[in-house]
Amino acid sequence: MGNTQTNVVSPVISSNDARGYVSDEEFRRLQLAFQRFKNGSINYEEFCYHVLGGARIPDDKRRLLFSFFSRGAETISFDNLLCSLVGLCRVEEVQTKFIEEYNEFASWGLRPPMLTIPLNDSYISFYEVMSYVTHLSVGEVIELEKVFATISDRVVCKLTREKWVSALGSCFPPSFTDRLFKVFDENSDGMIDFRELVCTLSALCRGPAPGRLSQIARLWDKDNDKKLSDEELLEMYTDLNVPEVDRTVARSISENQAALVDFGLWAVEKDYVKDYYSMVQEVGHICLGLRPESFKLEMDVVSSFELRTANMKLPECNIVASSWHREWETALKSGKTPPPIDNSSIKGPRDDSWSTKVACMSAESTKLRTDLTKKDYICAPTPLWRAWLRWHGSALTIVNSRGKRLDGEYFDDGKPAVELYPLEILLLGHDRKRSHDGHESPRTLTPWACAQISRSTKVEELLQLCKSELRLGEGDARLWLISKESDDGNLLLDDGAQRLYQLFPNQKAKKNGKMKFLLEVRERSTGVWPEELRASLSGKQITAASALSTSAPQLSGRPGAVGLVNYGNFCYRNAAVQCLARVSPLTQYLLEEANLETIKRSNTKRKDAVDTSVEYAKLLREMWSAKKKNIAPNAFNDVIRSTDYFECNEQHDCQEFVSFLLDQLHTCMTVEHRAQDNALEKPDAQDEDTRANQSWSTYLKQNESLVSSLFSGLLKSRLVCRSCSSSSSVFEVFTSLSLPIGFEDVDLFQVIVVRRDGSVPRRYGFRLSRDSNIGHMKDAVAHLSGIEKEKLTIQCLTNKGTLMKKSLGADSTAFSKEDVLLSSFPSGARLYALELPDDSSEGNWRVAVHRKLQYNHEPHILGSTAGFVVSRFGLPLIVGCDGEITGKKLYDDVMAQMYRFMETAVNSFSSRAHDPCEGSSSGYPFTLCVVDDNYEWCGQCPALRFCRGCPIRPDESKTFIPPSSPIAVDWIPIALYLRYNHSQEQACEDDVSVSETWSRHFAPSSLEHCLEKFSCPETLDAEIDCEKCAKKTRRDKVMTIWRLPKYLIIHLKRFEFLREQGRMGKCKRAVNFPLRDFDPTPFVDRPDGHTYECIALANHYGQLSSGHFVAYAKSNEDKWLLLNDCSVREVQEEEVDQQGAYLLFYERKE
């Protein structure tokens, strides 16, 4: 980045002279800004952004200025920066000479650039604003913000009810907790923002005592009108147990209404509010983070809190050494600063701790001495522990010692107690290295992480913690208990409801509180479970925890209740086999030795079919022998591999494998007939019943087998001419019925309609096709809202709440192009339909966007309106800009549209010391500026002016706004923080269409609905000759069910090709289906009156290429089993997961 100009004017002052033109504060600011540059100098790119502020001035002018600052060098030193800034901004001689040399900078003669912004333009920080209007210092506001960040909901950056209850730690009465939340929630939006928290804390905990007591009255102010009615006063008297003689609160507003100050004056004289006042102080200082003003106040607040919570059975507490507590108490009483929290007297040794060897993924706790007595420690509620840490810090690196209060079942003596010694667990994982020869082999186990968790933790909770740490999906990991003492080896933890204390392998482990677990992660590329591969190669059994549980039914000895080891990507095979094995006639046939010999001798040229059928029969025999908990189907998988139909170690479709297996079995079982038997005459025109029976008989003559008798049904395929409605039909045999779930080519849109009258916006819901554009959306919005289409503009806010730039139309004309596709909007964007002014012709309206200009302490060369970082926020506004518009009309128009979310009662808290908008000279809390399409720079001034936007005067003079220039609403900082209500701005009412479209889009489908869609006409692409029309015509194809088999296999088509995305997609919509008494009569052309019962189903989780199949199937005892590869567990019928159903196996009930 060298000098591109050779005749550059150098500064005529030295660094010592330049130092005389700046104040000590300015010099310090420049030094601090310069220190942030890594190389101790500024290069060209850094100069353009940090010094010129990213202004869009021509490149040759930027390089000229850079050469002036660097004196021809490639970088700028601090001395050169100081001399150049001071010379151009404050030394008239340098300014004059520079402008004489370069005429393009002549405008600087009238208004030279400024080194620092004027004092009256200096940015007031939010902390200063909040300190200005409350009784809190800037430091206290900053500290409160840090606490607020830890207790609020990070998604909305506010305290929700759930987070509020968590912050108070169950230490206060529920009714008080709920009422106090409403006191803090000043705008009644169901959440507490930081501004509300700071102002309410100031009102309740600082300032004059009568003012604090007056605010406590709001605990009974149900309608939040800052008054107490007779009904509210009566409730207050009742809660405080005030006798009739003392119920003397004055009613200064009316005969039946008291002001808050009336309550305050009464409370000063009486002593009934003492307990409520103490609880309010405890919440403010201990739970919400306001540091006590004095040692005495800290002592009083903490003492009352400890006394009140002493006998509470809180679910969790923190262990604190009694010795430190005594030191803390003594220090406060003597007016000295308490020492940091020191639990060294109760701390135990950590020499044998796993946390010294591997990372700890839980909040690590201080290990306590094993010989502790109740005199050695106190149980501090969690809010108090956090407050102590904030106020005094800790003397130990590891400070936390949490203890959960558990029932007696978790302890040897059977008594409820606080868990002082949580479990220490070590998590092992499989070594990711492969063997040198590249072959699959058992992988060694290596320590991965440790954790300290409660013995009451469920297996599923520990597994979820691990998956969150590694960002694993559902079905990608599982836990094993490492048990050297068990004859069966490690224990598969397949029952997520089991608690860790139930899994101790022996008394020794139970005594020292240590356990080892294996986190098994399924191979992404092959789908292999490493432990199942190990079991397959070693021949050992896999033992599941559910099989050993005393409370769970024992499956050992039950025929068919056997898991199948998945040592490849074979979950689709295992699920298919488990489901198909529940077809009793087929399974019983294959279990008989004589039938197996018949299959071996079957006269077929397809050896692969014979081998597959034989190995499947052998697998069933092994499953029904009931001697093992799980088996490795090695021989069966080997023969499948030899068929070349299913590539090894790749995920395949469970339905395809079921069809393949049935075809192999059918091939071996088909009864051969003489050739003349198959010579059937082609029937002439007959009625459908006759032709259907003929087609069915023909099929059975040629395909007679046990498989066809159990699984074959008949479909009628009818082609209907779209011109003359004539039709022809044929009959087709099926073994599995593939039903569409419904990949609808529509997207769900929600659009918020904002009217110009300032009314609350209304949200509408739409389901539009994926190729819809802006024009289609305008039509839909106009139809529901009643606003003319021509008076609507669609604006899009990103998920961060900023208006999208011109690429999607931030100006007034881009969205008039109605062919812009809705698919061009980013995911998560918010769509608004804004009503235009009456004169909505092109050029007569502008988009106005809220803007905040924040001073960022950089050494900018900028004009009088600059020195800021620009941030856009909030809902855009539409303002009319015809030729006769005045500045006052513009301001009034903007003000009217913002009225609904402007705070009007800015002095609602008596503790506020100042009016937050008292400095607004124009009467408006903002300034309107003409800006460019990025809302960063001026829309009128040349770039060298460094203007952030020319202000529009709020008077009766006419205002000219260039056609391509939008408007920025620049807020006065203090007004922005205290009058702009972000929650109310985003508030809207929901039209009934929102819930209707949401339900329609996401509501579960049903098996009946899928059957209806199966029979819906489908128009064929190709034209077919029509005898009646004597020409080729378009045809509709209609499929209907003619007859159903005894065993009905239903395939829910979850995977379809998405044309617009060029890939296969999965439909995750749930399908409701009956497990019992399924009546298909309405969907069958010739029903037989029978009902069906579900005997098995295969579920799919995840995506097509990396998903996982599991099976649910009925046992011989009519109990449901969950068969997840090698794991088998009995479940109740209501536990059968129907959400991910992919294959359904139904049996006809005779």
Side-chain angles (χ1 to χ4, degrees):
M1 303 299 174
N3 179 16
T4 59
Q5 305 283 343
T6 57
N7 55 341
V8 174
V9 178
S10 298
V12 294
I13 60 173
S14 65
S15 57
N16 290 332
D17 293 336
R19 182 67 178 82
Y21 284 90
V22 295
S23 66
D24 292 340
E25 174 59 26
E26 290 173 326
F27 184 75
R28 185 188 66 84
R29 181 174 64 80
L30 285 173
Q31 279 187 318
L32 291 176
F34 193 84
Q35 288 172 4
R36 290 199 293 270
F37 296 102
K38 295 181 180 179
N39 299 321
S41 60
I42 302 176
N43 60 32
Y44 176 70
E45 287 81 6
E46 294 168 337
F47 172 79
C48 293
Y49 181 76
H50 293 280
V51 179
L52 300 182
R56 295 186 294 181
I57 61 177
D59 184 66
D60 59 332
K61 304 299 184 296
R62 290 200 301 263
R63 292 190 178 276
L64 188 149
L65 287 171
F66 179 78
S67 296
F68 178 83
F69 274 72
S70 65
R71 301 188 185 185
E74 293 187 355
T75 58
I76 301 172
S77 65
F78 177 74
D79 284 345
N80 286 345
L81 176 69
L82 177 64
C83 295
S84 302
L85 282 174
V86 172
L88 284 180
C89 299
R90 297 187 177 176
V91 181
E92 185 176 352
E93 180 183 355
V94 176
Q95 295 170 354
T96 302
K97 190 172 182 182
F98 184 82
I99 293 171
E100 289 176 353
E101 186 71 23
Y102 299 101
N103 295 329
E104 53 266 55
F105 293 91
S107 62
W108 286 13
L110 297 175
R111 190 173 64 183
M114 307 182 73
L115 173 60
T116 57
I117 59 176
L119 183 61
N120 60 350
D121 283 339
S122 62
Y123 183 76
I124 303 175
S125 73
F126 172 72
Y127 311 111
E128 292 170 321
V129 171
M130 299 312 298
S131 176
Y132 181 69
V133 298
T134 65
H135 292 282
L136 306 179
S137 68
V138 171
E140 286 175 322
V141 176
I142 293 175
E143 187 173 358
L144 282 174
E145 185 184 48
K146 295 176 181 178
V147 178
F148 186 78
T150 64
I151 62 177
S152 60
D153 188 319
R154 294 185 179 181
V155 176
V156 296
C157 298
K158 296 180 182 180
L159 262 177
T160 60
R161 285 186 179 272
E162 180 183 0
K163 291 293 185 179
W164 170 264
V165 172
S166 176
L168 269 60
S170 304
C171 297
F172 301 89
S175 60
F176 171 81
T177 300
D178 184 62
R179 288 178 181 178
L180 191 60
F181 178 85
K182 294 177 181 178
V183 171
F184 276 83
D185 182 20
E186 185 188 5
N187 57 19
S188 301
D189 64 348
M191 294 182 286
I192 302 170
D193 61 35
F194 183 58
R195 179 189 62 83
E196 291 173 323
L197 180 109
V198 172
C199 294
T200 310
L201 275 179
S202 174
L204 291 171
C205 301
R206 294 290 169 84
R212 303 186 199 183
L213 293 173
S214 297
Q215 293 301 320
I216 292 179
R218 297 181 60 210
L219 290 169
W220 294 276
D221 182 15
K222 291 183 177 180
D223 52 8
N224 200 26
D225 63 351
K226 312 301 187 293
K227 306 169 187 175
L228 294 181
S229 64
D230 283 345
E231 180 184 351
E232 291 167 341
L233 283 171
L234 179 60
E235 183 177 356
M236 180 269 294
Y237 289 140
T238 304
D239 289 345
L240 299 180
N241 296 318
V242 180
E244 198 70 34
V245 66
D246 286 337
R247 298 185 177 190
T248 57
V249 174
R251 291 166 173 80
S252 62
I253 298 178
S254 65
E255 292 184 359
N256 57 1
Q257 283 186 323
L260 300 184
V261 68
D262 295 331
F263 173 90
L265 295 174
W266 173 82
V268 170
E269 298 177 358
K270 309 297 181 181
D271 202 27
Y272 298 108
V273 193
K274 181 177 64 175
D275 291 342
Y276 276 83
Y277 179 80
S278 296
M279 287 194 292
V280 166
Q281 299 304 308
E282 293 165 16
V283 170
H285 293 93
I286 294 176
C287 302
L288 301 182
L290 182 60
R291 187 183 292 269
E293 294 179 282
S294 64
F295 293 142
K296 181 181 184 306
L297 179 59
E298 179 181 345
M299 187 71 191
D300 293 342
V301 170
V302 173
S303 296
S304 66
F305 182 78
E306 288 183 320
L307 181 63
R308 199 173 43 76
T309 60
N311 297 320
M312 287 185 176
K313 304 298 182 183
L314 300 176
E316 188 174 279
C317 62
N318 290 77
I319 312 303
V320 180
S322 298
S323 57
W324 175 83
H325 189 267
R326 289 190 292 271
E327 292 180 17
W328 166 83
E329 194 172 21
T330 302
L332 289 182
K333 288 180 178 179
S334 59
K336 297 180 180 179
T337 302
I341 299 175
D342 188 356
N343 278 347
S344 57
S345 62
I346 60 174
K347 178 183 175 183
R350 301 191 61 86
D351 298 338
D352 58 344
S353 174
W354 286 322
S355 62
T356 61
K357 303 171 184 176
V358 292
C360 184
M361 67 177 184
S362 64
E364 192 173 357
S365 298
T366 301
K367 187 175 181 180
L368 303 178
R369 288 184 1 232
T370 57
D371 59 345
L372 287 181
T373 64
K374 291 187 177 181
K375 295 181 179 180
D376 297 324
Y377 65 91
I378 64 168
C379 294
T382 300
L384 179 57
W385 167 259
R386 293 172 180 165
W388 274 337
L389 278 180
R390 291 194 302 268
W391 299 338
H392 309 302
S394 174
L396 301 178
T397 304
I398 301 175
V399 300
N400 193 21
S401 294
R402 282 199 307 270
K404 292 183 68 174
R405 187 174 297 276
L406 303 179
D407 295 334
E409 63 178 302
Y410 297 97
F411 302 102
D412 292 336
D413 58 7
K415 297 179 180 179
V418 173
E419 185 182 30
L420 297 178
Y421 310 103
L423 294 180
E424 287 192 67
I425 65 171
L426 179 65
L427 289 160
L428 290 84
H430 290 95
D431 190 352
R432 311 302 294 176
K433 296 179 181 178
R434 289 186 174 271
S435 58
H436 295 294
D437 57 6
H439 293 93
E440 292 289 350
S441 60
R443 300 190 179 183
T444 57
L445 305 183
T446 57
W448 166 63
C450 68
Q452 294 173 334
I453 55 179
S454 171
R455 65 194 65 206
S456 64
T457 303
K458 294 181 179 180
V459 170
E460 60 189 4
E461 294 172 343
L462 176 58
L463 179 59
Q464 185 58 45
L465 176 64
C466 297
K467 289 193 295 185
S468 299
E469 191 76 14
L470 296 179
R471 297 181 181 178
L472 298 174
E474 191 67 32
D476 287 341
R478 56 189 184 185
L479 285 171
W480 298 70
L481 177 65
I482 305 296
S483 177
K484 294 182 179 179
E485 291 78 6
S486 173
D487 295 334
D488 295 320
N490 299 337
L491 191 66
L492 174 61
L493 304 180
D494 60 337
D495 186 357
Q498 281 187 305
R499 299 188 183 272
L500 299 189
Y501 86 100
Q502 299 172 310
L503 301 175
F504 281 114
N506 51 52
Q507 285 298 322
K508 180 180 178 182
K510 187 175 183 180
K511 185 176 180 180
N512 62 28
K514 290 189 174 184
M515 303 177 76
K516 290 184 180 181
F517 294 91
L518 166 64
L519 179 67
E520 183 188 24
V521 179
R522 191 158 58 97
E523 291 284 348
R524 291 183 180 272
S525 58
T526 64
V528 173
W529 289 108
E531 286 302 294
E532 296 197 16
L533 174 63
R534 183 193 302 273
S536 172
L537 297 176
S538 65
K540 288 186 177 181
Q541 285 286 288
I542 293 177
T543 304
S546 60
L548 301 181
S549 175
T550 56
S551 59
Q554 294 302 306
L555 300 178
S556 180
R558 293 190 188 181
V562 177
L564 299 176
V565 174
N566 177 11
Y567 58 89
N569 209 347
F570 300 148
C571 61
Y572 69 97
R573 299 184 193 178
N574 293 345
V577 168
Q578 295 285 16
C579 289
L580 204 56
R582 311 305 147 177
V583 180
S584 298
L586 179 61
T587 298
Q588 292 302 322
Y589 177 88
L590 295 173
L591 289 177
E592 296 180 10
E593 184 66 32
N595 295 330
L596 181 58
E597 293 301 321
T598 301
I599 292 175
K600 291 179 179 179
R601 297 193 304 271
S602 58
N603 184 17
T604 176
K605 297 180 180 179
R606 289 181 54 185
K607 184 177 181 299
D608 63 306
V610 175
D611 293 342
T612 302
S613 301
V614 170
E615 290 303 329
Y616 177 66
K618 290 181 179 179
L619 177 59
L620 289 177
R621 288 188 170 197
E622 195 171 3
M623 293 170 62
W624 254 252
S625 66
K627 295 180 180 180
K628 298 180 179 180
K629 301 165 187 173
N630 43 71
I631 57 178
N634 296 338
F636 177 72
N637 285 326
D638 288 341
V639 77
I640 297 298
R641 184 184 296 110
S642 66
T643 63
D644 295 330
Y645 286 103
F646 296 90
E647 294 184 21
C648 183
N649 294 336
E650 287 191 10
Q651 180 68 280
H652 290 278
D653 189 7
C654 182
Q655 185 267 340
E656 291 180 358
F657 189 76
V658 168
S659 299
F660 161 79
L661 194 53
L662 288 178
D663 179 69
Q664 300 288 77
L665 293 169
H666 171 70
T667 300
C668 296
M669 297 180 183
T670 303
V671 178
E672 294 187 7
H673 296 273
R674 295 180 181 178
Q676 58 267 28
D677 292 339
N678 295 331
L680 300 173
E681 294 183 4
K682 187 175 182 179
D684 296 328
Q686 299 171 337
D687 63 275
E688 285 189 335
D689 288 284
T690 304
R691 287 190 294 112
N693 291 335
Q694 183 67 62
S695 298
W696 182 249
S697 299
T698 301
Y699 170 75
L700 291 182
K701 290 282 186 180
Q702 299 173 351
N703 297 277
E704 183 180 352
S705 74
L706 178 61
V707 172
S708 61
S709 67
L710 295 176
F711 298 98
S712 294
L714 198 63
L715 298 175
K716 184 179 76 171
S717 175
R718 190 161 61 100
L719 295 179
V720 182
C721 177
R722 294 178 63 89
S723 299
C724 66
S725 299
S726 63
S727 65
S728 61
S729 59
V730 295
F731 294 90
E732 303 172 4
V733 176
F734 72 92
T735 53
S736 68
L737 193 61
S738 294
L739 301 182
I741 298 177
F743 262 95
E744 298 178 290
D745 190 27
V746 296
D747 280 328
L748 181 66
F749 294 92
Q750 292 183 351
V751 183
I752 300 175
V753 176
V754 184
R755 299 178 184 269
R756 289 182 51 77
D757 59 7
S759 59
V760 177
R762 193 168 186 81
R763 178 162 47 196
Y764 297 87
F766 307 97
R767 298 178 78 240
L768 302 176
S769 63
R770 290 193 172 100
D771 59 354
S772 295
N773 55 32
I774 293 294
H776 298 136
M777 176 169 283
K778 281 187 176 181
D779 289 333
V781 173
H783 174 70
L784 288 184
S785 67
I787 302 176
E788 296 178 18
K789 177 182 178 181
E790 293 72 19
K791 290 189 176 182
L792 288 172
T793 177
I794 305 296
Q795 300 292 330
C796 178
L797 269 66
T798 67
N799 55 5
K800 295 183 178 179
T802 58
L803 184 69
M804 293 186 61
K805 293 187 177 181
K806 191 174 181 178
S807 59
L808 282 178
D811 61 80
S812 62
T813 61
F815 275 140
S816 62
K817 299 177 181 178
E818 298 189 351
D819 58 349
V820 176
L821 293 176
L822 298 180
S823 58
S824 59
F825 293 118
S827 176
R830 299 204 301 268
L831 295 176
Y832 289 87
L834 307 180
E835 184 182 15
L836 299 178
D838 292 335
D839 183 6
S840 57
S841 57
E842 185 174 342
N844 281 352
W845 57 275
R846 299 287 188 277
V847 178
V849 171
H850 303 284
R851 192 171 72 160
K852 180 173 69 172
L853 302 176
Q854 183 173 351
Y855 184 43
N856 69 344
H857 302 285
E858 292 284 357
H860 285 78
I861 301 181
L862 296 172
S864 60
T865 61
F868 298 86
V869 172
V870 177
S871 59
R872 294 169 288 137
F873 63 93
L875 176 65
L877 308 171
I878 301 297
V879 293
C881 293
D882 58 49
E884 301 300 318
I885 193 72
T886 65
K888 189 174 189 313
K889 285 184 179 180
L890 276 178
Y891 276 80
D892 289 342
D893 188 2
V894 172
M895 198 70 178
Q897 295 185 61
M898 295 194 307
Y899 182 78
R900 64 181 176 83
F901 56 84
M902 291 278 287
E903 292 281 1
T904 54
V906 293
N907 283 318
S908 60
F909 291 100
S910 63
S911 71
R912 292 185 178 177
H914 304 279
D915 185 337
C917 299
E918 61 187 7
S920 178
S921 58
S922 66
Y924 299 97
F926 53 82
T927 300
L928 300 182
C929 297
V930 179
V931 292
D932 61 5
D933 55 5
N934 284 323
Y935 295 89
E936 292 188 2
W937 299 96
C938 186
Q940 300 182 120
C941 296
L944 287 175
R945 287 283 182 89
F946 298 99
C947 180
R948 288 293 189 182
C950 288
I952 300 172
R953 292 183 299 178
D955 55 24
E956 296 294 344
S957 60
K958 291 184 180 180
T959 298
F960 171 74
I961 301 176
S964 61
S965 296
I967 296 173
V969 183
D970 287 348
W971 280 80
I972 298 172
I974 194 169
L976 171 63
Y977 291 130
L978 296 178
R979 294 197 64 180
Y980 189 100
N981 191 323
H982 293 268
S983 299
Q984 200 62 34
E985 180 214 30
Q986 297 179 13
C988 62
E989 298 174 345
D990 278 350
D991 184 71
V992 66
S993 61
V994 173
S995 59
E996 288 178 350
T997 54
W998 181 273
S999 298
R1000 187 178 171 191
H1001 202 75
F1002 294 106
S1005 182
S1006 65
L1007 185 56
E1008 291 78 6
H1009 180 66
C1010 294
L1011 286 165
E1012 290 174 356
K1013 289 182 69 69
F1014 175 78
S1015 298
C1016 288
E1018 176 188 2
T1019 303
L1020 302 180
D1021 293 332
E1023 294 184 344
I1024 302 175
D1025 288 324
C1026 176
E1027 295 180 1
K1028 189 174 181 179
C1029 297
K1031 63 178 181 180
K1032 289 187 175 183
T1033 60
R1034 300 293 297 275
R1035 298 292 181 98
D1036 284 341
K1037 182 178 180 180
V1038 182
M1039 298 290 293
T1040 58
I1041 303 171
W1042 188 265
R1043 63 177 294 169
L1044 290 173
K1046 179 176 178 57
Y1047 286 90
L1048 173 61
I1049 302 175
I1050 294 178
H1051 167 223
L1052 300 175
K1053 296 172 66 175
R1054 293 199 174 275
F1055 298 101
E1056 290 187 17
F1057 185 76
L1058 305 178
R1059 291 184 180 180
E1060 67 278 1
Q1061 300 182 27
R1063 63 176 182 86
M1064 292 294 291
K1066 180 181 178 181
C1067 179
K1068 297 183 180 180
R1069 174 173 289 185
V1071 178
N1072 294 329
F1073 56 90
L1075 295 177
R1076 299 176 182 272
D1077 301 323
F1078 168 50
D1079 185 6
T1081 299
F1083 312 101
V1084 182
D1085 291 341
R1086 297 297 184 267
D1088 55 14
H1090 291 103
T1091 60
Y1092 283 76
E1093 181 173 322
C1094 186
I1095 58 172
L1097 59 143
N1099 284 13
H1100 182 268
Y1101 303 101
Q1103 298 303 316
L1104 176 64
S1105 59
S1106 60
H1108 182 59
F1109 286 98
V1110 302
Y1112 288 87
K1114 277 193 171 183
S1115 66
N1116 292 349
E1117 293 82 11
D1118 204 34
K1119 302 291 186 181
W1120 278 100
L1121 303 175
L1122 168 58
L1123 303 119
N1124 185 359
D1125 288 334
C1126 68
S1127 171
V1128 182
R1129 181 163 60 91
E1130 185 175 302
V1131 295
Q1132 299 299 316
E1133 184 171 304
E1134 57 270 16
E1135 296 180 80
V1136 175
D1137 181 15
Q1138 298 180 246
Q1139 302 298 306
Y1142 184 65
L1143 281 182
L1144 308 178
F1145 289 74
Y1146 277 100
E1147 180 183 40
R1148 186 170 65 205
K1149 308 306 292 183
E1150 302 297 344

